[in-house]
Amino acid sequence: MLISLAQESDLLDLFELANDSVVRRNSFNQRKIELEDHQEWFLSKLKDPNCYFYIIRDKANFVGSVRFGLEKENQFIIGIQISEKYRGKGLAGGIIADTTSKLLADRKD
């Protein structure tokens, strides 16, 4: 799996995944998300120094995302979303471990 920081070009992949019925059902806010609202939220997260937003790909295929939101010193809230094609394959634990390692490396810089 390839892990990279989220970029503006990831907006539509994340928008589609955010509106996936399973993702919506497991979210705090279960209503459908409008593109304008998603764009505003997403761009704010990219600029937020307390947000570490990672995109996971399998070669060129979008697998999902992991977002770490810094709440207090060294305490994060983690959000993970995995595309339907990759669900049920036991990937979440490894993805969280790998993105946590990336977060720790990125925070040392």
Side-chain angles (χ1 to χ4, degrees):
M1 298 283 168
L2 304 170
I3 300 170
S4 61
L5 284 170
Q7 300 176 14
E8 285 187 39
S9 60
D10 297 311
L11 184 131
L12 290 179
D13 282 334
L14 288 165
F15 174 70
E16 289 177 19
L17 181 55
N19 276 311
D20 175 273
S21 62
V22 173
V23 172
R24 291 282 24 100
R25 218 176 18 254
N26 290 295
S27 297
F28 291 118
N29 174 1
Q30 297 183 351
R31 293 185 310 252
K32 181 180 183 217
I33 300 169
E34 299 299 325
L35 181 56
E36 287 178 17
D37 295 332
H38 174 74
Q39 183 174 12
E40 183 179 324
W41 172 85
F42 180 65
L43 295 176
S44 75
K45 292 301 177 191
L46 292 182
K47 295 175 187 173
D48 183 349
N50 293 317
C51 179
Y52 296 81
F53 206 150
Y54 297 103
I55 302 299
I56 297 89
R57 295 191 185 277
D58 178 15
K59 298 181 184 171
N61 298 315
F62 178 71
V63 174
S65 69
V66 177
R67 183 169 41 94
F68 295 88
L70 182 62
E71 291 294 305
K72 298 179 193 173
E73 185 177 335
N74 295 321
Q75 291 182 0
F76 292 85
I77 291 181
I78 301 172
I80 182 171
Q81 297 177 333
I82 296 179
S83 297
E84 181 177 14
K85 177 180 174 182
Y86 293 91
R87 291 181 198 142
K89 299 184 184 301
L91 300 175
I95 287 172
I96 290 172
D98 292 347
T99 53
T100 300
S101 294
K102 180 111 174 81
L103 168 71
L104 294 171
D106 289 349
R107 290 197 72 211
K108 286 183 180 178
D109 295 343

